[in-house]
Amino acid sequence: MSSGSDLENRYCAQNYHPLPVVLSRGEGVYVWDEEGNKYLDMMSAYSAVSHGHANPRLVAALKAQAEKLCIVSRAFYTDKLGPFLERACELTGQDAALPMNTGAEAVETAVKAARRWGYEVKGITENQAEIIVCSGNFHGRTTTIISFSDEAEYQKNFGPLTPGFKIAQYGDIDSLKALITPNTAAFLIEPIQGEGGIVIPPAGYLKACETLCREHNVLLIADEIQCGLGRTGKMLACNHEDVVPDGLILGKALGGGIMPVSMFLAKKEVMDVFVPGTHGSTFGGNPLAAAIGLEALNILVDENLAERSMEMGNYMMGELNKLDSAMISTIRGSGLFIGIEIDPALGSAREICERLMTRGLLSKETHETVVRLAPPLVITKEQIDWAVDQIGQVLQELDSIRLAS
Ligand SMILES: *Cc1c(COP(=O)(O)O)cnc(C)c1O
């Protein structure tokens, strides 16, 4: 391969296992490698590129704001932050927002808010607050966040870990109920688990979590960094069950595929625990990020991207379900957030992704057994037809190789 990957392999920490392709350009649902080969991007940077690569409205917003004002820190007000946060609150039913940059920072913000709310509002004894999370969760990679992962690989030799977390069985309301104590400040959940393998809990589960949390004065905090902002066919995955969480975390697509933009949103009673000096970020809420974030939200609404995700997702699911391969154990999804679970005895998701890559379709396996399909929400039916055709052919190839041996 070209020097691009050689240099990256030589100088970059080896904390990822990229597919062997060196990308240099993107437009809409497509990206191109150094040699000019074109690929349909069904990864969209883990859903950060829902608006498509180099979305013209977002590039225009970036250019216009870059020429005016980019970074001043929150030591001053700017003309861009207020309108951005107002729009985010309007669209999500929350009262206030705290802007950050990456997803993990917004999750950290949620954890801090929940603990402080636990002490100052709920009246939990100092340093006793507990936060309940879910099995199979993914909330980022900071030291505290990996402390409440149940993935051994994420934790090994990064200890000592942060205490104060308990893990409930994802999708099992009784498991959550059994863990709630008077010291429980919050329940943190991904309404649909992304990194966990596009895992959708049973219908009614999220609503039951909301009811249970309200009964026990426990904050329900939804991490919608990956599943939010139209990805699952609604503006928020919580909207599928008319759940309004007490705290909400957004990231990824909030930056329009252009830059990292994240935020923690909450009810007033929760957000009010932050007073000057208690939390901050040099770059969080900078005017460049705010201009891009506002445009990203406006595009979602103007172009009906959530409805489109629902329609195209249903279409793609229907087409995928017509595929006939012993390797597929299940196909699950919501909107354009789809996972094909591969029977590990018969095939590997990584090998399928590698073969799709040589055919011009980029995807990435998650948890070894799931092929993730999460294209930009602007994808068309024709592009989906082409992709499903490639997937069908790769499965057929692998089925015949296996049957021949
Ligand atoms: C990606 C992700 C995060 C972490 O976001 P970063 O920007 O990588 O820090 C947190 N929660 C969920 C659900 C995610 O998918």
Side-chain angles (χ1 to χ4, degrees), residues 51-62:
H51 301 75
H53 293 277
N55 183 297
R57 278 181 64 179
L58 285 159
V59 172
L62 167 76

Side-chain angles (χ1 to χ4, degrees), residues 22-23 28 35 53 59 74 77 103 141 144 154 215 236 239 245 257 259 278 301 314 327 331 339 345 384 388 402:
V22 181
L23 302 175
E35 281 104 51
H53 293 277
V59 172
R74 297 269 316 278
Y77 292 91
R141 299 290 200 157
T144 288
Y154 295 173
E215 266 170 34
L236 298 177
N239 296 148
M259 66 187 292
T278 53
V301 174
N314 287 341
M327 272 186 287
I331 304 178
I384 290 173
V388 173
R402 193 181 66 253

Side-chain angles (χ1 to χ4, degrees), residues 4-36:
S5 59
D6 292 345
L7 286 176
E8 198 167 308
N9 283 332
R10 163 64 184 81
Y11 287 104
C12 188
Q14 300 291 298
N15 57 329
Y16 276 86
H17 182 26
L19 287 175
V21 58
V22 181
L23 302 175
S24 61
R25 189 164 77 82
E27 193 184 319
V29 297
Y30 294 110
V31 288
W32 284 261
D33 68 17
E34 288 181 314
E35 281 104 51

Side-chain angles (χ1 to χ4, degrees), residues 108 111 115 142-149 162 165:
E108 288 277 350
V111 167
R115 285 181 167 182
T142 65
T143 318
T144 288
I145 294 171
I146 61 155
S147 298
F148 55 82
S149 169
T162 308
F165 299 94

Side-chain angles (χ1 to χ4, degrees), residues 102-104 107 138-140 190 223 225-226 252:
T102 65
V107 172
F138 181 84
H139 296 285
E190 296 159 86
D223 179 349
I225 290 172
Q226 189 161 167
K252 293 198 168 113

Side-chain angles (χ1 to χ4, degrees), residues 20-231:
V21 58
V22 181
L23 302 175
S24 61
R25 189 164 77 82
E27 193 184 319
V29 297
Y30 294 110
V31 288
W32 284 261
D33 68 17
E34 288 181 314
E35 281 104 51
N37 300 307
K38 177 176 160 183
Y39 302 85
L40 178 58
D41 182 5
M42 284 239 166
M43 251 301 282
S44 344
Y46 304 91
S47 295
V49 189
S50 289
H51 301 75
H53 293 277
N55 183 297
R57 278 181 64 179
L58 285 159
V59 172
L62 167 76
K63 284 184 181 162
Q65 189 60 37
E67 286 170 358
K68 269 182 83 183
L69 185 67
C70 291
I71 312 281
V72 291
S73 86
R74 297 269 316 278
F76 312 99
Y77 292 91
T78 66
D79 60 347
K80 285 290 172 293
L81 184 55
F84 171 42
L85 302 185
E86 179 188 37
R87 189 81 171 118
C89 287
E90 261 170 27
L91 291 175
T92 59
Q94 298 293 329
D95 293 329
L98 201 164
M100 299 296 282
N101 312 283
T102 65
E105 287 174 299
V107 172
E108 288 277 350
T109 304
V111 167
K112 288 173 77 173
R115 285 181 167 182
R116 214 170 157 91
W117 174 88
Y119 303 126
E120 297 180 2
V121 181
K122 183 166 176 171
I124 297 171
T125 308
E126 204 184 336
N127 290 327
Q128 299 302 306
E130 292 165 355
I131 294 175
I132 302 173
V133 299
C134 291
S135 59
N137 75 71
F138 181 84
H139 296 285
R141 299 290 200 157
T142 65
T143 318
T144 288
I145 294 171
I146 61 155
S147 298
F148 55 82
S149 169
D150 58 4
E151 198 52 55
E153 187 190 22
Y154 295 173
Q155 294 183 334
K156 191 172 183 235
N157 290 335
F158 292 126
L161 301 172
T162 308
F165 299 94
K166 290 179 172 175
I167 300 181
Q169 207 54 41
Y170 188 61
D172 178 351
I173 191 72
D174 293 326
S175 164
L176 171 61
K177 193 180 273 174
L179 291 179
I180 292 177
T181 74
N183 288 337
T184 308
F187 174 51
L188 171 64
I189 181 172
E190 296 159 86
I192 292 181
Q193 289 185 336
E195 295 320 288
I198 325 286
V199 184
I200 304 174
Y205 169 67
L206 203 62
K207 195 74 196 170
C209 292
E210 182 187 46
T211 307
L212 188 63
C213 286
R214 300 276 143 84
E215 266 170 34
H216 292 272
N217 196 22
V218 167
L219 300 177
L220 174 69
I221 301 181
D223 179 349
E224 296 227 17
I225 290 172
Q226 189 161 167
C227 65
L229 301 179
R231 176 52 60 189

Side-chain angles (χ1 to χ4, degrees), residues 331-344:
I331 304 178
R332 50 183 183 250
S334 180
L336 284 168
F337 202 31
I338 297 178
I340 305 179
E341 177 97 42
I342 301 300
D343 181 343

